[in-house]
Amino acid sequence: KPQLLIDMKLRGDWVPRDRTGAFAMLIVLDRELRNGHSGRMTKDELMDAAERSGLSEESMYGSNHGATPFQYDGWSQMTKVVRGGDVPKVIRVQKSSPALFKLSRSDASECGVKFAAALHYYAHQRSYCKCEHCPPNLY
């Protein structure tokens, strides 16, 4: 694992479990940046891309999509991703509809951009991700 993820776990900071919705969404946002896009995605774009990525073992839409008004789905983890410790990992950049989300940037070692890159690298190490844009292990 990248040192950043190890250090965060040792401090008791939140790190998403492998193959969860949060894991997939963070990596998808990192992929967007590495593909030369703005890295900003709506909720629907992010959920669709995470679902298609195969990075999550759970559906981003829950097991009974639309069957009940209160069900767990991959998006349910977004509150942890946004809060994610002292430094938010994802920020909402547009409050109007549709809201846009992107990885946070700061000098902090655990900001969203660095954190998602470390997760993305780890996903390549574990062969969860097979995209063409594996980040270097800088963190």
Side-chain angles (χ1 to χ4, degrees):
K1 268 190 174 176
Q3 194 62 45
L4 172 63
L5 301 179
I6 293 168
D7 292 346
M8 288 179 70
K9 272 288 211 197
L10 290 174
R11 284 193 312 262
D13 291 342
W14 175 80
V15 175
R17 288 188 331 253
D18 291 9
R19 313 296 306 267
T20 60
F23 182 85
M25 287 186 286
L26 286 160
I27 293 170
V28 163
L29 285 167
D30 185 67
R31 280 183 180 178
E32 281 295 297
L33 285 174
R34 292 183 188 287
N35 284 334
H37 302 289
S38 70
R40 297 174 180 209
M41 300 178 82
T42 66
K43 174 184 176 180
D44 289 340
E45 290 169 338
L46 186 51
M47 286 182 69
D48 288 345
E51 182 78 18
R52 285 191 320 270
S53 74
L55 291 165
S56 177
E57 290 177 335
E58 54 203 26
S59 172
M60 294 303 294
Y61 299 101
S63 56
N64 297 318
H65 182 48
T68 62
F70 303 105
Q71 67 178 7
Y72 174 84
D73 59 23
W75 189 257
S76 301
Q77 297 178 9
M78 186 51 99
T79 53
K80 281 193 175 184
V81 175
V82 171
R83 283 189 232 145
D86 294 335
V87 178
K89 307 303 180 244
V90 173
I91 57 174
R92 186 175 176 166
V93 292
Q94 180 176 314
K95 305 238 186 272
S96 62
S97 185
L100 290 173
F101 298 88
K102 72 173 189 171
L103 295 170
S104 65
R105 292 180 183 270
S106 76
D107 293 335
S109 62
E110 63 272 1
C111 76
V113 170
K114 295 172 186 173
F115 183 67
L119 282 176
H120 193 176
Y121 176 81
Y122 173 71
H124 274 273
Q125 280 185 312
R126 303 287 298 191
S127 298
Y128 299 148
C129 184
K130 296 174 177 40
C131 77
E132 299 171 5
H133 303 286
C134 179
N137 186 16
L138 300 176
Y139 312 108

